[in-house]
Amino acid sequence: MRRRWVWLLLLVALAGLYLASGIGHELTLAAVQRHAADLQAWRAQQPLAAAALFFAAYVVMAALSLPGATVMTLAAGSLFGLGWGTLIVSFASSIGATLAFLSARWLLGTWVRTRFGPRLAAVDAGIAKDGGYYLFTLRLVPVLPFFVINLAAGLTSLRTATFYGVSQLGMLPATVLYVNAGTQLARIEAPSGIVSPAVLGSLALLGLLPLVARKALAALRARRIYARYARPARFDRNLVVIGGGSAGLVTAYIAAALKARVTLVEQHALGGDCLNTGCVPSKALIRSAAFLAQIGRAGELGIASAHAEFDFGAVMERVQRVVRAVEPHDSAARYTALGVDVALGRAHIVSPWEVEITKTDGRVERLTTRAIVIAAGARPYLPPIPGLDRVEVLTSDNVWNLRQRPERLVVLGGGPIGCELTQAFARLGSRVTQVEQLPRILAREDAEVSDLVAARFRAEGITVLSGHKALRVEIDGPEKRLVVEAEGRERAIAFDAILVAVGRAAQLQGYGLEELGVTTGRTVEVNGYLQTNFPNIYAAGDVAGPYQFTHMAAHQAWYAAVNALFDPLRKFSVDYRVVPWATFVEPEVARVGLNEIEAREKNVPHEVTVYELADLDRAIADGRTPGFVKVLTEPGRDRILGVTIVGEHAGDLIAEYVLAMTQGIGLKKILATIHIYPTLAEANKNAAGRWRQDHAPRALLAWVGRYHRWRRGGATVDKPRGAVAGTAQRPPAAKSSER
């Protein structure tokens, strides 16, 4: 870093020397015209030396971003003629511009990315996709100073080779224009007269050619894709949505709210996985299990004895009652009242503009539509483990049908779903063994998060086998065993039931994607606008990824609906900058933005501030002290890069940080916000206070201390009461230091 500052000061000094020397006064049109005869005589006597010196001077001037490029280009035409003048200026200007580009990147790139990194992410994404086109347009139109373009481009992710190549080509028309004008130097009254509005307009149109060509190629590709299909003369619907889960419901609702005619097709039950087999039933089960766990820890609250009798079947019946209570929120009647045409049945995409619906009563309806949104969701993934197909496998789809508690349960998978069900069944009395192939459960979280959750699991009697690979399922009479392997040794785990929770696979079959030719991989492949390779067919939610969360499906749904209805007039790229999620185990885990693992993997400079809930008054009173708030910030600044919260109601507490990151609010403003005492939400403010404490202006505080001593009329240094001279006492974590 010190070398960079030395070079920066050197460059500034060279620029200052240039300005102080008065050379710049000679780089005017009048001065060049006055000395034209002498310069031409010098060039005639020493043509190679003149060309080399002129070339070097132009490179240095461009590299240092010094003024005078226009006059130098005119002089090149006067000295060397159109051909040689264009050749010299073209290469000298491109090389000098590239040196300025590299200098800006080397000198300021790290600082800019440290300070504005996340904000530049969208810029870099656009540069990676269309940077060459943008630069070419800017080079062709000589309105924005080229030195500004050079320096600004150096602070982006644009490749050096692309910058040089595009600059060489893009600056050529203007170079030819000015060099040619320089051949008639005596007739030029002012450089500004060379480029008329008509010429500027022509260059602007020329600059738009690459973008126009790109759009034309996209149109040709689309035409080729659609060539096999007859476009209807009119359409029955503006939009057909396939799938009635979170993404489909929200997409259809938004379309109806925008007064479009929309049909929503669902073959099973509206509400999708979240209502029927995911979020709602799992949280209902977790609530019952958590109540039993609280009774089991009654002694921690000073209660001598507490006991509860329960029936597993009754607990599972309550889960279904909760589903039925929430069901009206996602019902066909509700969405019909909102203006959505709800069709219960199976959808099959016949053409890019036609969907055939086989309804539950056997009737078949074919609708033409301007756009289609695929929101078919995902299903539990079953790994190819030998013998697994010989036993009844529980998944997050069918576990809710249980009415008899499995005494010995193996849970395969250590992700959020596996962890939630592991703890819930253990609290309901099953002897649970959790098997995870990766070194730790909740592997996407930081190590201390996984360790805290694993410790809680083991304290509750759960056997956690991380770093174990499932090899096969063996059946010996009534006995069933899962054989796992770790560090080269096999181990057999007896079970009565096995629950597989190793991930979810997108629903890609059964509704015409393969026949139509929609590009798929593990999910439906979409661009930033959620478009498939058929521009009028979109995908959202679990079927599209990259996040399989209900709230992200709803987030994508807005973009899918608006883009499908208003493209080509207007469309929006999906914003994934601030994505929160939670795992509802005890202690609860919630996160938004980067954690330490991701920050290190992406080489994002960061600082870490941790506030332990053991210091929080409300957590102490509630007996819920395990956990922490961990905040990642930009070095030396309060700008939040990511937050992980572990503890009671973490999924609720994270909302304050989600809002802060979305709206660009830093820790200082969170610290300045009043939080009710005593609440768990104070943990957020206290974490901000811990950051403020770690970034206190020590030098300023020393001067303030001297000022206060002066006001007391004394000159001696006070010793803090109860402290040894030369040491500092730390203020109470939840009191003065955080307020």
Short mmCIF file of all heavy atoms in Angstrom, two decimals, residues 615-648:
data_model
loop_
_atom_site.label_atom_id
_atom_site.label_comp_id
_atom_site.label_asym_id
_atom_site.label_seq_id
_atom_site.Cartn_x
_atom_site.Cartn_y
_atom_site.Cartn_z
N ASP A 615 -24.34 -11.74 27.67
CA ASP A 615 -24.25 -10.41 28.28
C ASP A 615 -25.58 -9.66 28.25
O ASP A 615 -25.66 -8.54 28.75
CB ASP A 615 -23.20 -9.56 27.54
CG ASP A 615 -21.79 -10.00 27.86
OD1 ASP A 615 -21.58 -10.63 28.91
OD2 ASP A 615 -20.89 -9.73 27.04
N LEU A 616 -26.61 -10.24 27.65
CA LEU A 616 -27.88 -9.54 27.45
C LEU A 616 -28.82 -9.80 28.61
O LEU A 616 -29.12 -10.96 28.93
CB LEU A 616 -28.52 -9.98 26.13
CG LEU A 616 -29.80 -9.26 25.72
CD1 LEU A 616 -29.52 -7.81 25.38
CD2 LEU A 616 -30.46 -9.96 24.53
N ASP A 617 -29.31 -8.75 29.23
CA ASP A 617 -30.14 -8.89 30.43
C ASP A 617 -31.37 -9.76 30.18
O ASP A 617 -31.72 -10.62 30.99
CB ASP A 617 -30.58 -7.51 30.93
CG ASP A 617 -29.40 -6.68 31.44
OD1 ASP A 617 -28.26 -7.18 31.40
OD2 ASP A 617 -29.63 -5.53 31.86
N ARG A 618 -32.07 -9.54 29.05
CA ARG A 618 -33.30 -10.30 28.80
C ARG A 618 -32.99 -11.78 28.56
O ARG A 618 -33.73 -12.66 29.02
CB ARG A 618 -34.04 -9.72 27.60
CG ARG A 618 -35.34 -10.45 27.25
CD ARG A 618 -36.30 -10.49 28.47
NE ARG A 618 -37.48 -11.28 28.21
CZ ARG A 618 -38.61 -10.78 27.71
NH1 ARG A 618 -38.70 -9.49 27.44
NH2 ARG A 618 -39.65 -11.55 27.51
N ALA A 619 -31.89 -12.06 27.87
CA ALA A 619 -31.51 -13.46 27.65
C ALA A 619 -31.18 -14.15 28.96
O ALA A 619 -31.51 -15.33 29.17
CB ALA A 619 -30.33 -13.54 26.68
N ILE A 620 -30.53 -13.42 29.88
CA ILE A 620 -30.21 -13.97 31.20
C ILE A 620 -31.50 -14.26 31.97
O ILE A 620 -31.66 -15.33 32.58
CB ILE A 620 -29.32 -12.99 31.97
CG1 ILE A 620 -27.95 -12.86 31.27
CG2 ILE A 620 -29.13 -13.46 33.41
CD1 ILE A 620 -27.09 -11.74 31.83
N ALA A 621 -32.45 -13.32 31.94
CA ALA A 621 -33.72 -13.50 32.65
C ALA A 621 -34.52 -14.67 32.09
O ALA A 621 -35.17 -15.41 32.83
CB ALA A 621 -34.54 -12.22 32.58
N ASP A 622 -34.47 -14.86 30.78
CA ASP A 622 -35.23 -15.94 30.13
C ASP A 622 -34.51 -17.27 30.18
O ASP A 622 -35.08 -18.30 29.78
CB ASP A 622 -35.50 -15.58 28.67
CG ASP A 622 -36.54 -14.49 28.53
OD1 ASP A 622 -37.19 -14.16 29.53
OD2 ASP A 622 -36.70 -13.96 27.41
N GLY A 623 -33.25 -17.28 30.61
CA GLY A 623 -32.48 -18.52 30.57
C GLY A 623 -32.16 -18.95 29.16
O GLY A 623 -32.09 -20.15 28.86
N ARG A 624 -31.95 -17.98 28.28
CA ARG A 624 -31.67 -18.28 26.87
C ARG A 624 -30.37 -17.58 26.46
O ARG A 624 -30.34 -16.79 25.52
CB ARG A 624 -32.84 -17.79 26.00
CG ARG A 624 -34.11 -18.62 26.14
CD ARG A 624 -33.89 -20.00 25.51
NE ARG A 624 -35.11 -20.81 25.51
CZ ARG A 624 -35.42 -21.69 26.44
NH1 ARG A 624 -34.63 -21.85 27.49
NH2 ARG A 624 -36.53 -22.40 26.36
N THR A 625 -29.31 -17.85 27.18
CA THR A 625 -28.05 -17.15 26.93
C THR A 625 -27.18 -17.74 25.82
O THR A 625 -26.33 -17.01 25.29
CB THR A 625 -27.23 -17.09 28.22
OG1 THR A 625 -27.06 -18.42 28.74
CG2 THR A 625 -27.93 -16.22 29.26
N PRO A 626 -27.30 -19.01 25.43
CA PRO A 626 -26.44 -19.48 24.35
C PRO A 626 -26.76 -18.76 23.04
O PRO A 626 -27.93 -18.66 22.65
CB PRO A 626 -26.78 -20.98 24.24
CG PRO A 626 -27.37 -21.34 25.56
CD PRO A 626 -28.11 -20.11 26.00
N GLY A 627 -25.74 -18.23 22.40
CA GLY A 627 -25.94 -17.55 21.12
C GLY A 627 -25.17 -16.26 21.03
O GLY A 627 -24.51 -15.83 22.00
N PHE A 628 -25.28 -15.62 19.90
CA PHE A 628 -24.51 -14.39 19.67
C PHE A 628 -25.06 -13.66 18.45
O PHE A 628 -25.83 -14.22 17.66
CB PHE A 628 -23.02 -14.70 19.46
CG PHE A 628 -22.76 -15.73 18.38
CD1 PHE A 628 -22.70 -15.36 17.04
CD2 PHE A 628 -22.56 -17.06 18.70
CE1 PHE A 628 -22.47 -16.30 16.05
CE2 PHE A 628 -22.33 -18.01 17.71
CZ PHE A 628 -22.28 -17.62 16.39
N VAL A 629 -24.65 -12.41 18.33
CA VAL A 629 -24.88 -11.62 17.12
C VAL A 629 -23.51 -11.34 16.53
O VAL A 629 -22.64 -10.78 17.19
CB VAL A 629 -25.60 -10.29 17.43
CG1 VAL A 629 -25.77 -9.47 16.15
CG2 VAL A 629 -26.95 -10.55 18.08
N LYS A 630 -23.31 -11.75 15.29
CA LYS A 630 -22.02 -11.56 14.62
C LYS A 630 -22.25 -10.70 13.39
O LYS A 630 -23.05 -11.04 12.51
CB LYS A 630 -21.44 -12.90 14.21
CG LYS A 630 -20.09 -12.80 13.50
CD LYS A 630 -19.77 -14.11 12.78
CE LYS A 630 -18.59 -14.76 13.39
NZ LYS A 630 -18.20 -15.99 12.69
N VAL A 631 -21.54 -9.57 13.33
CA VAL A 631 -21.72 -8.60 12.25
C VAL A 631 -20.41 -8.45 11.48
O VAL A 631 -19.36 -8.23 12.09
CB VAL A 631 -22.17 -7.23 12.78
CG1 VAL A 631 -22.47 -6.28 11.63
CG2 VAL A 631 -23.39 -7.38 13.68
N LEU A 632 -20.49 -8.57 10.16
CA LEU A 632 -19.35 -8.30 9.29
C LEU A 632 -19.52 -6.91 8.69
O LEU A 632 -20.59 -6.59 8.15
CB LEU A 632 -19.26 -9.33 8.17
CG LEU A 632 -18.43 -10.60 8.44
CD1 LEU A 632 -19.08 -11.41 9.55
CD2 LEU A 632 -18.30 -11.44 7.18
N THR A 633 -18.49 -6.10 8.81
CA THR A 633 -18.53 -4.73 8.28
C THR A 633 -17.30 -4.48 7.42
O THR A 633 -16.31 -5.21 7.48
CB THR A 633 -18.57 -3.70 9.42
OG1 THR A 633 -17.51 -3.98 10.33
CG2 THR A 633 -19.89 -3.72 10.14
N GLU A 634 -17.39 -3.42 6.62
CA GLU A 634 -16.22 -3.00 5.85
C GLU A 634 -15.15 -2.50 6.80
O GLU A 634 -15.47 -1.86 7.82
CB GLU A 634 -16.61 -1.89 4.87
CG GLU A 634 -17.54 -2.35 3.77
CD GLU A 634 -17.88 -1.23 2.80
OE1 GLU A 634 -17.41 -0.10 3.00
OE2 GLU A 634 -18.62 -1.49 1.82
N PRO A 635 -13.88 -2.74 6.51
CA PRO A 635 -12.82 -2.32 7.43
C PRO A 635 -12.87 -0.81 7.70
O PRO A 635 -12.89 0.00 6.78
CB PRO A 635 -11.54 -2.69 6.66
CG PRO A 635 -11.95 -3.82 5.78
CD PRO A 635 -13.36 -3.51 5.37
N GLY A 636 -12.94 -0.47 8.97
CA GLY A 636 -12.94 0.92 9.38
C GLY A 636 -14.24 1.66 9.18
O GLY A 636 -14.35 2.84 9.52
N ARG A 637 -15.27 0.98 8.66
CA ARG A 637 -16.55 1.64 8.40
C ARG A 637 -17.67 0.82 9.03
O ARG A 637 -17.50 -0.36 9.33
CB ARG A 637 -16.80 1.80 6.89
CG ARG A 637 -15.72 2.59 6.18
CD ARG A 637 -16.07 2.77 4.70
NE ARG A 637 -17.23 3.63 4.55
CZ ARG A 637 -18.23 3.37 3.70
NH1 ARG A 637 -18.24 2.26 2.99
NH2 ARG A 637 -19.24 4.21 3.59
N ASP A 638 -18.84 1.46 9.19
CA ASP A 638 -19.96 0.76 9.83
C ASP A 638 -20.91 0.14 8.82
O ASP A 638 -21.98 -0.31 9.18
CB ASP A 638 -20.72 1.71 10.75
CG ASP A 638 -21.53 2.75 9.99
OD1 ASP A 638 -21.14 3.10 8.86
OD2 ASP A 638 -22.54 3.24 10.55
N ARG A 639 -20.51 0.11 7.56
CA ARG A 639 -21.37 -0.47 6.52
C ARG A 639 -21.43 -1.99 6.68
O ARG A 639 -20.41 -2.67 6.74
CB ARG A 639 -20.87 -0.11 5.13
CG ARG A 639 -21.82 -0.53 4.03
CD ARG A 639 -21.44 0.06 2.69
NE ARG A 639 -22.42 -0.27 1.68
CZ ARG A 639 -22.42 -1.44 1.01
NH1 ARG A 639 -21.47 -2.31 1.24
NH2 ARG A 639 -23.35 -1.69 0.12
N ILE A 640 -22.65 -2.53 6.75
CA ILE A 640 -22.87 -3.94 7.08
C ILE A 640 -22.75 -4.80 5.82
O ILE A 640 -23.41 -4.55 4.81
CB ILE A 640 -24.26 -4.13 7.71
CG1 ILE A 640 -24.40 -3.24 8.95
CG2 ILE A 640 -24.49 -5.59 8.08
CD1 ILE A 640 -25.84 -3.13 9.45
N LEU A 641 -21.90 -5.82 5.90
CA LEU A 641 -21.74 -6.78 4.81
C LEU A 641 -22.55 -8.05 5.05
O LEU A 641 -22.96 -8.72 4.09
CB LEU A 641 -20.27 -7.17 4.64
CG LEU A 641 -19.29 -6.03 4.33
CD1 LEU A 641 -17.87 -6.56 4.33
CD2 LEU A 641 -19.63 -5.39 3.00
N GLY A 642 -22.79 -8.38 6.29
CA GLY A 642 -23.55 -9.58 6.60
C GLY A 642 -23.70 -9.74 8.10
O GLY A 642 -22.92 -9.19 8.88
N VAL A 643 -24.72 -10.49 8.50
CA VAL A 643 -25.01 -10.70 9.92
C VAL A 643 -25.45 -12.14 10.13
O VAL A 643 -26.23 -12.68 9.34
CB VAL A 643 -26.12 -9.75 10.44
CG1 VAL A 643 -26.38 -9.98 11.92
CG2 VAL A 643 -25.75 -8.29 10.18
N THR A 644 -24.92 -12.75 11.18
CA THR A 644 -25.40 -14.06 11.63
C THR A 644 -25.87 -13.91 13.07
O THR A 644 -25.14 -13.36 13.91
CB THR A 644 -24.29 -15.12 11.56
OG1 THR A 644 -23.87 -15.28 10.21
CG2 THR A 644 -24.79 -16.46 12.08
N ILE A 645 -27.07 -14.37 13.35
CA ILE A 645 -27.60 -14.35 14.71
C ILE A 645 -27.94 -15.78 15.11
O ILE A 645 -28.62 -16.50 14.37
CB ILE A 645 -28.86 -13.46 14.83
CG1 ILE A 645 -28.54 -12.02 14.41
CG2 ILE A 645 -29.39 -13.48 16.26
CD1 ILE A 645 -29.73 -11.08 14.49
N VAL A 646 -27.46 -16.19 16.26
CA VAL A 646 -27.79 -17.50 16.82
C VAL A 646 -28.40 -17.25 18.19
O VAL A 646 -27.79 -16.59 19.03
CB VAL A 646 -26.54 -18.39 16.95
CG1 VAL A 646 -26.91 -19.76 17.50
CG2 VAL A 646 -25.83 -18.52 15.61
N GLY A 647 -29.61 -17.78 18.39
CA GLY A 647 -30.25 -17.59 19.69
C GLY A 647 -31.76 -17.52 19.55
O GLY A 647 -32.32 -17.67 18.46
N GLU A 648 -32.40 -17.29 20.68
CA GLU A 648 -33.86 -17.23 20.73
C GLU A 648 -34.40 -16.17 19.77
O GLU A 648 -33.93 -15.03 19.77
CB GLU A 648 -34.29 -16.89 22.17
CG GLU A 648 -35.77 -16.97 22.42
CD GLU A 648 -36.23 -18.37 22.80
OE1 GLU A 648 -35.43 -19.31 22.67
OE2 GLU A 648 -37.37 -18.52 23.24
#
